[in-house]
Amino acid sequence: MVHEITIIEAIVLGLVQGFTEWLPISSSGHLVIFQSLLGVSVPSDFDIIIMAGTIAALLLYFRRKILTLLMGIMAGERHMMYYGALIVVSGIPTGIIGFAGRQFFKTLFGQPFVVSLLIIVTGLFLLLASRKKDPYVELNVRSAVIIGIAQGIAIAPGISRSGSTIGTAILLGVKPKDAAEFSFLIGIPAMTIAAALTFMNEPAAGTGFTPLLVGIIAAFIAGYVSIDLFMKLLSHNRLWYFGIYCIIAGSIFTVLTSVM
């Protein structure tokens, strides 16, 4: 039975969103499935706005990297300016895809069975990316554009944003650590703009400010923990862990959502 969101449910959804946002397993996909299993009626805008918590966690975790980048750009350091330009370039295809397909992507939030299948697709892609070996290359304009396209496609719930961008970067020859850092950094403007525009359009996301605030705080805490966990696993070449998880979880979700 569908019912209005409570504080406890907001905490649960915030923790799910926060913990899965930076892991390559699709936070939006997990939110759709959990809402379906819990029988919670939450607008897709709620999921987008509580990303503010995970964005704050990312800013805190990578504060030194971000500060160094900003200072380098202001000082006119060529390498830093080039890296900053790559972030901007990657955001162009993301914005185009996101704007053009916004209504279509929103319809997927109401289709948990399809989302479950897309989580399996994410898992298969991660297994493919995890097989990529040396040699490594530096990020360039071409790779930034392709990664940006991957990020745009990942607006679809079930397709992991971090998984698609990191996996794409690795397949293009970028080192896993560099791929993760670039993926997280390009996610900041894309997610911030999406959350801000959504909040301006529907401040309480149809749930009220208290559940929204609680969800954001829960997402912040879980998000910080998940970033640290993921970076440690990635440094040990454990990307395939998440591929296996997505295939198993997606398969279970497919069965559960098909009988509901």
Side-chain angles (χ1 to χ4, degrees):
M1 178 179 176
V2 177
H3 54 279
E4 292 300 320
I5 187 172
T6 65
I7 297 299
I8 298 300
E9 289 164 348
I11 292 174
V12 172
L13 295 177
L15 291 175
V16 170
Q17 202 279 343
F19 194 73
T20 59
E21 179 63 57
W22 303 118
L23 298 182
I25 56 178
S26 179
S27 61
S28 58
H30 278 72
L31 281 171
V32 170
I33 301 302
F34 270 78
Q35 289 175 27
S36 177
L37 297 178
L38 292 173
V40 180
S41 179
V42 180
S44 59
D45 291 348
F46 175 85
D47 303 339
I48 297 174
I49 294 177
I50 63 174
M51 286 194 307
T54 48
I55 295 171
L58 182 66
L59 291 172
L60 179 62
Y61 190 89
F62 284 107
R63 60 190 181 280
R64 291 189 179 88
K65 173 80 175 182
I66 295 171
L67 183 60
T68 300
L69 176 61
L70 292 176
M71 292 180 66
I73 292 175
M74 289 188 292
E77 295 180 17
R78 188 171 181 177
H79 176 70
M80 293 299 181
M81 293 180 69
Y82 180 68
Y83 193 87
L86 292 180
I87 293 176
V88 174
V89 167
S90 70
I92 296 174
T94 297
I96 294 173
I97 294 173
F99 181 78
R102 186 171 184 271
Q103 293 305 316
F104 169 72
F105 291 136
K106 287 190 72 172
T107 63
L108 294 178
F109 281 87
Q111 303 180 52
F113 180 76
V114 175
V115 171
S116 300
L117 294 178
L118 292 178
I119 291 177
I120 296 176
V121 171
T122 291
L124 294 173
F125 180 72
L126 291 175
L127 290 182
L128 174 64
S130 67
R131 296 175 61 85
K132 173 69 176 180
K133 304 299 181 183
D134 298 345
Y136 294 125
V137 299
E138 294 295 322
L139 279 163
N140 54 42
V141 174
R142 173 179 170 273
S143 58
V145 171
I146 297 175
I147 294 169
I149 293 173
Q151 180 170 243
I153 295 173
I155 295 174
I159 300 297
S160 168
R161 193 205 65 82
S162 61
S164 63
T165 52
I166 293 172
T168 297
I170 290 175
L171 288 174
L172 290 172
V174 180
K175 292 180 181 180
K177 181 177 180 296
D178 293 340
E181 289 186 351
F182 187 71
S183 168
F184 291 154
L185 291 177
I186 66 173
I188 294 174
M191 293 168 64
T192 300
I193 292 172
L197 290 177
T198 302
F199 183 77
M200 287 188 291
N201 182 59
E202 181 56 65
T207 61
F209 282 104
T210 301
L212 195 61
L213 178 60
V214 169
I216 290 174
I217 294 173
F220 168 77
I221 296 172
Y224 191 90
V225 172
S226 71
I227 296 171
D228 187 57
L229 172 65
F230 180 60
M231 293 303 290
K232 288 177 180 177
L233 289 174
L234 193 63
S235 67
H236 291 90
N237 299 315
R238 298 293 186 266
L239 184 64
W240 63 271
Y241 280 12
F242 301 101
I244 296 296
Y245 168 81
C246 284
I247 293 173
I248 294 175
S251 299
I252 294 174
F253 293 155
T254 299
V255 173
L256 293 176
T257 54
S258 65
V259 299
M260 290 182 64

